């Protein structure tokens, strides 16, 4: 009895746990036996039908719904397990023969239970993934699955969870994958509602009525409804829709259906809706805990944001912008996958009319830099659009419209009477009728185009507007230069190599630019820095889109022609040809106007300025002569500049000796160095020279200028290192590491791009880092430097030696207008001789240590005061031998307000032309002085910045000079633009 009782108890336990009576090994044998597996499958299916029929309402019958869910899960498990086992597969064959998917779809659609819906979707997905039975080709199967998908995603369906929604869209995507691999199964999923049979022959195409019905292709609209979603749902939907559009190349009927469908309208309006969600007013900012070092060592202040004016580093803006750009890239993917010209034309037409004309251009037209940042917003969005896109038709459509380029009417194709073309024409007419019904006159770029907006914004008083405009110009020059040649830039053609500079002038101009960089001085491995800059310049030149024809090697005389840019629109501009920038170009001169105030500009503005000038000069077809370097027509030579005499020419002009003689004579002429006339230099070189003179003036007026400049350079090197810096714990969450950057961090403009990471507003770790760098590097011995380097006694000439890579004729004083002052004029560094700290009794040493510490603190306080001192743009006078009044070391508030940075006085005691007055905000005003010594009534505001800000800009300027020299040098070899003969 005991044994029988235990056996009965074990049997009931297995029944309650829904486990078979056999052991684990027996269950494996059961799964491997096809007959027993089929018996189990039929039993599960029978129980499923019985439970469904016995339940009057699954939405309220919880027990029945749970039982059905378990049965569906078991059916799916058996099918999935069987598909991985060797033949035969009786369960899959039973499912196909009995069409069990029909009641499964009905059960799921009537249950209003998400768990049942999810299991039904997994059941259908298992059948679709199988390779044995062609379920995807079965029209009954497609009808059942389509009805299920439409019902569970319709307006009256239950709200599906994220996981279930992913399963639904993934199932639809799997079907489109089947269609892509096997176009013959398309008729099972796509049916046009026509009278009569469907034929693929062209003679039957005219039966298509042109009226698109949603029930023709429900799978298509299911994917369309989810393309704007984030995550896996959006990815599956967008990729599946791409596969459907790609399949249109194999079905003329589907191609015509897509043309007349709502695809183009829904995509254009969806893109417009996402663009409308972006903030209308924007300020460019960086998270307080991730401020780039180059901004932390300047007068950078976080701009104010409000409810209307959004910061660029907020999570909300970045999320909306990423969503908009992802949908824009989906447009690009659609055009890349679409092989139908008619579908492409329909999409592009709706893109222009609905998005460009109705949204993007009006937002540019209505923007302003005085209403809280609307210009900053729309210019930033346009820049991100042009940065993201690569498809030539989309780029051409945007820039052709915004730049008001002339339209070119394409020739009428021979198959213009094709029904697909007729369908597109009807769609275009419907689009024009829809836009006319709004009764709003569209703005015309012919009256105010993107060039007008760019020039107006560059003249703005808002540095944020100037900054984002320069970024936009840089993108256009860098990626879409052929659109800028005839619109944004005033250019003129260059014919033949006769306009190239000669070798002597080329060497002279490189030496001149390098000597300007050497005037700033500093202690660093400038040879290595310059080599790295040259490598970056070479990559930049080679990667420019216009340079492929110049840098691609000609492998043979029968070399095939380089592929043309695959533009399908007839209005695309032609390829760029050899040209140069006219010196009176408005864009160039506005940029040079901004360059004149370099040292008082915001650092991010200077980074954008230097980037734009660099982008102007990297195109292989853009010649530098005339606007950057001297034009050969302006060369003048010294009369006695003959050089060593050549041998007597041979008498026979046809002899090889005579030809060699002529080549030697030409080479000698090309190696001559033209006379350097400062007044005849291009404006860019004149401004660079003036800025170097301002650096010399700062060296005279700012105490310890060279030492502070070297400390700033070392501070950037420390910030650039990957070694974590232990910052002072000013905040609860100090910056724990320094971001890894390249070997030349100062000229890396990417550090001021909008940071996409959100963060809470708190004091910047780098701001504390900057204060620590100032305090440690400004002490006399700098023993507490994070780099652990001991300071040795150096002379001022050692610290200010010009860069070692300058040529023998490189000093600026060799030219006829040298810089006033010398790089060796910096003040000596404060250091302690070894004898001043001789050994003695411990109490005497303690006294000396205290004295040294007190002296170090005093020097540190002085350096901090110097760095905080506000200065303006120095006045550069043409006379030589001027005397400079340095900034005194009395930093009382009264003297700071009374003393202007423009402290250069006349050497002959002549009265100054301006008198400075202090303002309440630290800004000084330059008041004109009349001939009788009285001040005039109209004050002129002078921009002042801290000495710390000037030091950072000086380092940026020196790096810019090295970059310009590398551009001139690398271009000469890469594009063969220097004449040797």
């Amino acid at each position: 009895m005991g044994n029988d009782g235990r056996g009965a108890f074990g049997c009931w336990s297995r029944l309650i746990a829904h486990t078979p009576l056999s052991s684990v090994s027996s269950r494996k044998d059961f799964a491997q036996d096809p007959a027993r597996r089929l018996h189990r499958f039929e039993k599960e299916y029978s129980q499923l039908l019985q439970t469904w029929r016995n339940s009057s309402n699954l939405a309220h019958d919880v027990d029945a719904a749970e039982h059905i869910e378990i049965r569906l899960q078991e059916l799916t498990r058996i099918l999935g397990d069987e598909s991985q086992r060797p033949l035969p597969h009786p369960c899959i064959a039973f499912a196909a023969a009995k069409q069990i998917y029909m009641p499964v779809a009905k059960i799921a659609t009537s249950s209003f239970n998400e768990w049942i819906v999810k299991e039904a979707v997994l059941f259908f997905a298992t059948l679709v993934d199988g390779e044995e039975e062609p379920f995807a080709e079965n029209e009954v199967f497609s009808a059942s699955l389509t009805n299920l998908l439409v019902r569970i995603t319709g307006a009256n369906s239950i709200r599906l969870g994220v996981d279930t929604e992913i399963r639904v869209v993934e199932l639809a995507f799997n079907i489109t994958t089947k269609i892509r691999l096997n176009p013959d199964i398309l008729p099972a999923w796509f049916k046009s509602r026509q009278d009569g049979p469907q034929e693929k022959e062209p003679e039957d195409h005219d039966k298509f009525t042109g009226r698109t019905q949603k029930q023709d292709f429900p799978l298509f609209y299911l994917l369309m409804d989810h393309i704007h979603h984030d995550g896996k749902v959006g990815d599956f939907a967008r990729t599946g829709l791409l596969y459907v559009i790609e399949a249109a190349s194999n079905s003329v009927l589907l191609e015509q259906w897509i043309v007349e469908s709502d695809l183009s309208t829904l995509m254009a309006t969806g893109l417009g809706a996402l663009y409308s969600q972006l903030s209308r007013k924007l300020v460019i900012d960086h998270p307080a805990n991730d401020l780039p070092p180059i901004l932390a060592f300047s007068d950078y202040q976080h701009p104010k944001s409000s409810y209307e004016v959004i910061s660029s580093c907020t999570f909300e803006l970045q999320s909306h912008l990423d969503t908009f750009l992802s949908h824009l890239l989906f447009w690009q993917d659609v055009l890349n996958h679409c092989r139908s010209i008619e579908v492409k034309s329909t999409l592009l037409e709706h893109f222009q009319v609905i998005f460009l004309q109705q949204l993007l251009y009006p937002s540019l037209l209505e923007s302003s830099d005085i209403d809280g940042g609307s210009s900053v917003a729309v210019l930033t969005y346009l820049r991100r659009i042009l940065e993201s896109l690569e498809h030539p038709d989309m780029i051409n459509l945007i820039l052709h419209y915004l730049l008001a380029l002339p339209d070119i009417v394409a020739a009428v194709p021979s198959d213009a009477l094709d029904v697909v073309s007729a369908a597109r024409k009807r769609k275009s007419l419907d689009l024009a009728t829809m836009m006319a019904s709004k009764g709003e006159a569209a703005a015309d770029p012919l009256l105010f185009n993107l060039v007008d907006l760019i020039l107006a914004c560059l003249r703005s008083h808002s540095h944020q507007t100037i900054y984002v405009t320069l970024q936009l110009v840089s993108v256009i020059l860098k990626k879409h230069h052929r659109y800028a040649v005839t619109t944004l830039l005033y250019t003129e053609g260059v014919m033949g190599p006769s306009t190239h500079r000669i070798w002597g002038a080329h060497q002279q101009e490189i030496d001149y630019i390098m000597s300007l960089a050497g005037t700033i001085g500093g202690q660093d491995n400038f040879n290595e820095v310059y080599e790295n800059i040259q490598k970056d310049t070479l990559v930049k030149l080679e990667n420019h889109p216009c340079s492929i024809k110049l840098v691609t090697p000609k492998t043979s005389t029968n070399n095939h022609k380089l592929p043309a840019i695959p533009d399908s629109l007839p209005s695309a501009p032609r390829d760029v040809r050899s040209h140069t920038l006219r010196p009176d170009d408005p864009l160039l001169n506005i940029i040079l106007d901004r360059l004149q105030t370099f040292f008082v500009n915001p650092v991010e503005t200077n980074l954008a300025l230097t980037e734009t000038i660099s982008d102007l000069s990297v195109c292989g077809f853009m010649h530098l002569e005339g606007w950057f370097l001297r034009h050969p027509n302006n060369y003048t030579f010294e009369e006695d500049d003959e050089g060593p005499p050549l041998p007597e020419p041979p008498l026979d002009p046809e002899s090889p000796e005579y030809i060699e003689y002529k080549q030697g004579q030409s080479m000698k002429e090309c190696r001559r160095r033209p006379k350097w006339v400062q007044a005849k230099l291009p404006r860019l070189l004149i401004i660079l020279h003036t800025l170097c003179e301002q650096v010399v003036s700062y060296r005279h007026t700012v105490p310890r200028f060279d030492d502070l400049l070297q400390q700033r350079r070392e501070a950037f090197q420390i910030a650039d290192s990957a070694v974590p810096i232990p910052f002072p714990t000013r905040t609860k969450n100090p910056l724990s590491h320094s971001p890894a950057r390249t070997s030349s961090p100062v000229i890396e403009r990417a550090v001021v791009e909008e940071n996409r990471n959100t963060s809470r507003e708190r004091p910047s770790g780098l701001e504390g880092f900057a204060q620590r760098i100032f305090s440690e590097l400004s002490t006399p011995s700098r023993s507490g430097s994070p780099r652990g380097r001991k300071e040795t006694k150096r002379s001022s000439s050692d610290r200010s030696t010009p860069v070692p890579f300058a040529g023998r004729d490189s000093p600026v004083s060799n030219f006829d207008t040298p810089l006033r002052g010398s790089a060796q004029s910096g003040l000596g560094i404060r250091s302690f001789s070894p004898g001043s700290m001789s050994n003695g009794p411990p109490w005497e040493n303690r006294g000396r240590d205290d004295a040294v510490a007190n002296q170090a603190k005093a020097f540190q306080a002085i350096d901090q005061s110097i760095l905080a001192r506000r200065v303006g743009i120095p006045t550069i006078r043409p006379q030589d031998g001027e005397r400079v009044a340095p900034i005194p070391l009395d930093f009382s508030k009264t003297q700071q307000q009374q003393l202007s940075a423009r402290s250069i006085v006349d050497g002959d005691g002549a009265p100054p032309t301006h008198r400075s007055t202090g303002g309440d905000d630290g800004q000084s005003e330059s008041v004109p002085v009349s001939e009788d010594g009285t001040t005039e009534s109209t004050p002129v505001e002078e921009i002042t910045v801290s000495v710390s800000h000037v030091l950072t800009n000086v380092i940026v300027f020196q790096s810019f000079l090295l970059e310009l020299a590398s551009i001139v040098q690398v271009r000469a070899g890469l594009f063969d633009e220097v004449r040797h003969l």
Side-chain angles (χ1 to χ4, degrees):
M1 290 295 293
N3 293 337
D4 294 340
R6 285 194 297 271
F9 179 77
C11 180
W12 282 110
S13 298
R14 295 188 187 95
L15 290 176
I16 294 174
H18 301 287
T19 58
L21 296 177
S22 60
S23 62
V24 176
S25 60
S26 299
R27 284 191 294 172
K28 292 182 179 180
D29 296 337
F30 165 80
Q32 294 175 357
D33 186 357
R36 298 179 64 182
R37 188 167 64 238
L38 176 61
H39 176 72
R40 177 63 184 272
F41 187 81
E42 291 177 348
K43 182 178 179 181
E44 293 288 343
Y45 176 61
S46 176
Q47 293 179 358
L48 172 69
L49 295 180
Q50 183 179 1
T51 305
W52 176 46
R53 291 165 182 166
N54 293 336
S55 176
S56 58
N57 191 342
L58 287 178
H60 297 87
D61 192 343
V62 179
D63 294 336
E66 183 179 359
H67 188 75
I68 288 177
E69 177 192 347
I70 295 174
R71 301 284 76 79
L72 282 174
Q73 187 176 7
E74 187 65 18
L75 290 175
T76 303
R77 188 194 64 78
I78 295 174
L79 290 174
D81 179 72
E82 184 178 76
S83 64
Q84 299 177 1
R85 296 184 180 276
L87 295 175
H89 293 162
C91 297
I92 297 178
F94 176 83
K98 298 298 183 179
Q99 297 181 344
I100 68 174
Y101 42 78
M102 294 180 62
V104 169
K106 293 179 180 178
I107 292 172
T109 54
S110 61
S111 67
F112 291 94
N113 185 295
E114 182 180 357
W115 300 106
I116 295 179
V117 169
K118 181 179 179 180
E119 294 301 330
V121 170
L122 293 175
F123 174 81
F124 273 95
T126 304
L127 297 180
V128 170
D129 292 339
E131 300 293 339
E132 183 176 353
E133 293 289 339
F135 288 101
E137 302 177 15
N138 192 309
E139 294 188 3
V140 179
F141 177 85
S142 66
S144 299
L145 179 53
T146 299
N147 181 64
L148 171 64
L149 296 178
V150 171
R151 294 284 297 274
I152 64 179
T153 58
N156 298 324
S157 64
I158 61 174
R159 183 176 180 85
L160 300 178
V162 176
D163 185 61
T164 306
E165 189 176 25
I166 292 175
R167 299 287 186 182
V168 170
V169 182
E170 183 181 9
L171 176 56
F173 163 74
N174 292 338
I175 297 171
T176 61
T177 304
K178 295 281 186 179
I179 295 175
R180 182 173 182 249
L181 297 176
N182 184 13
D184 294 335
I185 70 176
L186 178 64
W189 302 93
F190 166 65
K191 295 181 177 64
S192 62
R193 308 300 174 181
Q194 306 180 45
D195 296 330
Q198 298 179 13
E199 299 291 343
K200 293 185 178 180
E201 288 74 11
E203 57 269 21
D204 293 332
H205 289 166
D206 53 358
K207 296 181 180 180
F208 191 86
T209 62
R211 298 174 58 190
T212 298
Q213 301 292 336
K214 191 172 184 178
Q215 59 268 27
D216 293 351
F217 206 169
L219 195 67
F220 180 87
Y221 280 93
L222 170 66
L223 296 172
M224 278 294 302
D225 292 339
H226 292 85
I227 61 175
H228 300 105
H229 287 62
D230 297 329
K232 292 183 178 180
V233 173
D235 293 339
F236 282 131
R238 288 187 288 268
T239 309
L241 195 61
L242 291 179
Y243 290 167
V244 173
I245 295 174
E246 188 176 341
S249 60
N250 300 316
S251 173
V252 179
L253 193 62
L254 177 60
E255 180 185 8
Q256 184 177 353
W257 186 90
I258 291 178
V259 167
E260 293 197 338
S261 71
D262 298 333
L263 171 67
S264 53
T265 304
L266 293 176
M267 287 184 60
T269 54
L271 183 66
L274 293 175
Y275 182 78
S276 300
Q277 290 181 359
L278 300 176
S279 175
R280 183 178 174 273
K281 298 180 180 181
L282 182 69
V283 290
I284 306 301
D285 197 8
H286 307 270
N289 66 334
D290 196 19
L291 190 65
I294 199 168
L295 299 183
F297 292 119
S298 69
D299 290 348
Y300 180 81
Q301 294 182 353
H302 295 281
K304 296 180 180 179
S305 59
S306 62
Y307 177 77
E308 293 183 349
V309 183
I310 305 299
S311 172
S312 63
C313 59
T314 59
F315 174 79
E316 178 185 7
L317 175 72
Q318 293 299 331
S319 176
H320 288 165
L321 186 57
D322 290 342
T323 303
F324 167 74
L325 293 177
S326 66
H327 190 64
L328 188 70
L329 293 179
F330 172 64
W331 270 84
Q332 180 171 269
D333 293 337
V334 170
L335 294 176
N336 286 329
H337 283 74
C338 181
R339 299 187 181 96
S340 169
I341 296 179
E342 302 296 342
V343 174
K344 279 186 179 180
S345 301
T346 303
L347 288 169
L348 291 173
E349 185 176 19
H350 283 69
F351 179 82
Q352 176 175 348
V353 174
I354 296 179
F355 178 68
L356 288 181
Q357 295 182 5
Q358 300 297 318
L359 285 174
L360 184 60
Y361 177 71
S363 66
L364 293 171
L365 187 63
E366 298 168 2
S367 64
S368 172
D369 62 346
I370 60 176
D371 62 348
S374 63
S375 291
V376 175
V378 296
L379 293 174
T380 300
Y381 303 150
L382 179 58
R383 174 182 63 84
R384 295 296 300 273
I385 289 173
L386 295 178
E387 281 180 338
S388 302
L389 290 178
E390 298 291 342
H391 196 279
D393 287 344
M394 294 192 72
I395 295 170
N396 177 70
L397 203 62
I398 294 173
L399 292 179
H400 182 274
Y401 179 76
L402 296 181
L403 294 173
L405 291 173
D407 293 325
I408 301 177
V409 180
V412 179
S414 58
D415 57 347
L417 298 179
D418 185 81
V419 291
V420 180
S421 299
R424 188 181 70 82
K425 292 179 180 178
R426 290 196 299 270
K427 189 69 175 178
S428 300
L429 183 60
D430 293 341
L431 178 63
T433 304
M434 179 186 69
M435 302 313 299
S437 63
K438 294 185 177 182
E440 298 178 0
D444 191 353
L446 291 175
L447 302 177
F448 186 84
N449 58 36
L450 182 59
V451 177
D452 301 322
L453 178 63
I454 288 175
L455 296 179
C457 289
L458 287 178
R459 297 186 180 98
S460 171
H461 295 286
S462 169
H463 287 291
Q464 290 242 329
T465 302
I466 298 171
Y467 172 60
V468 297
T469 306
L470 289 171
Q471 285 186 313
L472 174 61
V473 172
S474 180
V475 170
I476 296 176
L477 295 175
K478 197 179 322 184
K479 297 189 62 178
H480 317 295
H481 187 258
R482 60 180 182 149
Y483 290 91
V485 170
T486 57
T487 57
L488 193 59
L489 305 176
Y490 286 5
T491 61
E492 56 186 15
V494 175
M495 304 301 294
S498 60
T499 56
H500 289 179
R501 58 191 180 275
I502 61 176
W503 173 253
H506 167 73
Q507 287 294 105
Q508 191 180 29
E509 286 158 343
I510 291 181
D511 289 347
Y512 179 74
I513 300 175
M514 298 295 277
S515 64
L516 294 180
T519 302
I520 297 175
Q523 285 194 343
D524 204 348
N525 189 359
F526 285 104
N527 284 326
E528 181 180 354
V529 171
Y530 186 65
E531 289 176 0
N532 293 331
I533 293 177
Q534 282 184 309
K535 294 176 183 178
D536 295 339
T537 301
L538 179 61
V539 173
K540 193 172 184 179
L541 290 169
E542 291 178 337
N543 292 337
H544 195 276
C546 297
S547 302
I548 183 172
K549 293 184 178 181
L550 298 174
V551 301
T552 302
K554 303 296 188 297
T555 57
S556 67
T557 56
N558 298 325
N559 187 30
H560 295 285
K561 184 179 179 181
L562 292 173
I565 299 177
D567 295 322
S568 61
L569 297 181
S571 56
R574 66 182 184 181
D575 293 341
V576 178
R577 302 178 182 179
S578 295
H579 64 281
T580 187
L581 192 61
R582 288 169 46 180
D584 61 342
D585 176 64
L587 177 66
L588 173 65
N589 283 280
I590 294 175
I591 291 175
L592 295 181
D593 290 341
R594 298 295 179 185
L595 191 67
Q596 286 182 314
T597 58
F598 192 90
F599 298 119
V600 297
N601 290 341
V603 174
E604 57 269 34
T605 300
N606 285 338
L607 294 175
L609 272 173
T610 54
E611 177 74 7
T612 305
I613 296 174
S614 173
D615 292 330
L616 273 172
S617 56
V618 295
C619 174
F621 293 97
M622 169 68 81
H623 291 247
L624 304 183
E625 291 82 6
W627 67 274
F628 186 161
L629 305 175
R630 295 170 298 174
H631 198 279
N633 294 339
N634 297 329
Y635 291 164
T636 57
F637 299 93
E638 299 288 348
E639 295 181 358
D640 56 349
D641 187 11
E642 297 295 337
L646 293 175
E648 292 296 328
L651 298 178
D652 185 8
E654 302 295 334
S655 63
E657 291 80 6
Y658 186 83
I659 296 176
E660 183 178 354
Y661 168 79
K662 297 297 291 184
Q663 290 179 348
Q665 187 180 30
S666 177
M667 183 180 298
K668 177 185 176 182
E669 292 178 355
C670 288
R671 288 185 176 274
R672 292 188 302 167
R673 295 199 169 197
K675 184 179 179 181
W676 193 268
V677 183
Q678 188 77 14
K680 294 184 178 181
L681 294 180
R683 188 184 175 199
L684 174 59
L685 294 181
I686 294 176
I687 292 176
L688 296 179
H689 182 273
T690 303
L691 292 176
C692 285
E693 287 184 320
Q694 292 177 7
V695 174
V696 173
S697 180
Y698 284 128
R699 180 175 286 115
H700 283 293
T701 57
V702 177
R704 290 176 40 79
F705 180 84
D706 288 325
D707 296 334
L708 296 175
L709 186 63
Q710 182 62 28
Q711 291 170 14
R712 179 58 47 86
R713 184 176 285 108
E714 294 174 1
F716 279 124
Q717 293 172 355
I718 295 173
D720 184 50
S721 64
V723 181
I725 304 297
F727 298 108
T729 55
R730 295 191 307 135
T731 62
K732 296 182 179 180
N733 297 310
L735 189 63
S736 59
H737 68 279
S738 178
R741 303 189 186 278
T742 59
S743 59
S744 182
V746 181
I747 63 171
E748 291 294 335
R749 299 164 180 92
V751 298
V752 296
E753 290 290 333
E754 303 89 68
N755 195 302
R756 299 187 178 182
N757 300 324
T758 181
S759 63
R760 294 177 296 175
E761 293 295 330
R762 58 179 180 264
S764 168
L766 274 171
E767 292 172 357
F769 169 52
Q771 295 298 325
R772 177 180 178 182
I773 293 298
F774 293 158
S775 63
E776 292 179 344
L777 294 182
S778 60
T779 55
S781 63
R782 280 188 279 190
S783 58
S785 171
R787 307 180 70 185
R789 181 173 58 83
K790 293 183 179 181
E791 181 65 37
T792 59
K793 185 175 181 180
R794 300 173 296 180
S795 64
S796 59
S797 59
D798 292 336
R799 287 190 316 278
S800 305
T801 303
V803 286
F805 41 75
R808 59 182 177 84
D809 298 324
S810 61
V812 184
S813 57
N814 289 351
F815 299 93
D816 62 349
T817 55
L819 291 176
R820 285 157 298 283
S822 172
Q824 288 82 5
S825 60
L827 300 177
I829 190 170
R830 298 180 181 88
S831 58
F832 301 100
S833 61
S836 63
M837 293 187 293
S838 59
N839 294 330
W843 56 87
E844 293 183 4
N845 290 337
R846 284 199 300 268
R848 292 193 185 96
D849 292 341
D850 293 340
V852 170
N854 294 333
Q855 189 175 10
K857 291 180 180 180
F859 287 148
Q860 175 182 338
I862 292 175
D863 285 352
Q864 292 286 356
S865 300
I866 297 174
L867 292 172
R869 178 73 172 87
R870 300 195 69 84
V871 297
I873 301 176
T875 300
I876 306 300
R877 302 186 62 83
Q879 292 84 5
D880 293 334
E882 67 270 21
R883 291 181 290 106
V884 179
I887 299 177
L889 297 182
D890 181 7
F891 295 97
S892 62
K893 181 176 180 181
T894 303
Q895 190 159 3
Q896 288 184 19
Q897 293 177 346
Q898 293 179 352
L899 184 61
S900 171
R902 301 189 175 186
S903 54
I904 301 177
V905 297
D906 298 328
D908 54 358
T913 57
H914 289 76
R915 182 179 303 167
S916 299
T917 60
D920 296 335
D921 57 353
Q923 301 278 338
S924 61
E925 297 179 350
S926 179
V927 181
V929 181
S930 61
E931 295 181 357
D932 57 358
T934 60
T935 59
E936 300 179 3
S937 58
T938 305
V940 179
E941 183 179 0
E942 178 187 1
I943 301 176
T944 61
V945 294
S946 67
V947 172
S948 176
H949 185 88
V950 171
L951 293 175
T952 298
N953 275 334
V954 168
I955 294 179
V956 174
F957 177 64
Q958 187 180 41
S959 298
F960 176 53
L961 290 173
L962 299 180
E963 185 177 9
L964 291 180
S966 70
I967 290 175
V968 177
Q969 185 172 355
V970 175
R971 281 181 61 102
L974 186 64
F975 300 137
D976 192 22
E977 56 185 17
V978 175
R979 289 189 290 127
H980 299 267
L981 296 175

